[in-house]
Amino acid sequence: DKPTFLMAQARYLILHEGRFVEAREILGEVRRGLDVFPEAALVEAEALFREGKPDEARATLTSLLERESLPAWVRQQAEALLAQYE
């Protein structure tokens, strides 16, 4: 599906090409189109950490963790990212 493809594309841009701004634009598209797609926030936070914007990354993850209907695996990944970049 399109959101999954866009997520993969954004993650590739982050991990392999260092194109953080472009990746975050793609993730923004996913998040606007599907507010119920919390995985986009995980990838966006990872991009922000790698881009050297830890405060923005932590804010993104903190906001994500405040959601009550967050899948357990997303919550675990968000907590792991926070711990990894402490």
Side-chain angles (χ1 to χ4, degrees):
D1 61 19
K2 185 176 179 179
T4 303
F5 170 77
L6 291 173
M7 291 278 298
Q9 182 182 18
R11 193 136 199 272
Y12 181 86
L13 291 172
I14 294 164
L15 297 177
H16 301 288
E17 296 185 8
R19 294 165 55 190
F20 305 114
V21 174
E22 186 177 342
R24 287 200 333 270
E25 288 172 359
I26 291 170
L27 293 168
E29 180 181 333
V30 173
R31 293 177 77 185
R32 278 188 299 279
L34 293 170
D35 189 44
V36 296
F37 204 65
E39 297 90 319
L42 289 175
V43 178
E44 183 175 6
E46 186 175 22
L48 289 165
F49 276 125
R50 289 175 176 261
E51 194 176 353
K53 298 180 178 182
D55 292 338
E56 290 179 46
R58 286 185 190 93
T60 298
L61 292 172
T62 301
S63 175
L64 179 65
L65 289 169
E66 290 173 352
R67 293 185 186 183
E68 290 183 24
S69 62
L70 195 63
W73 75 268
V74 174
R75 183 174 301 285
Q76 290 170 344
Q77 285 298 111
E79 290 169 349
L81 272 174
L82 282 172
Q84 179 180 347
Y85 289 100
E86 280 188 338

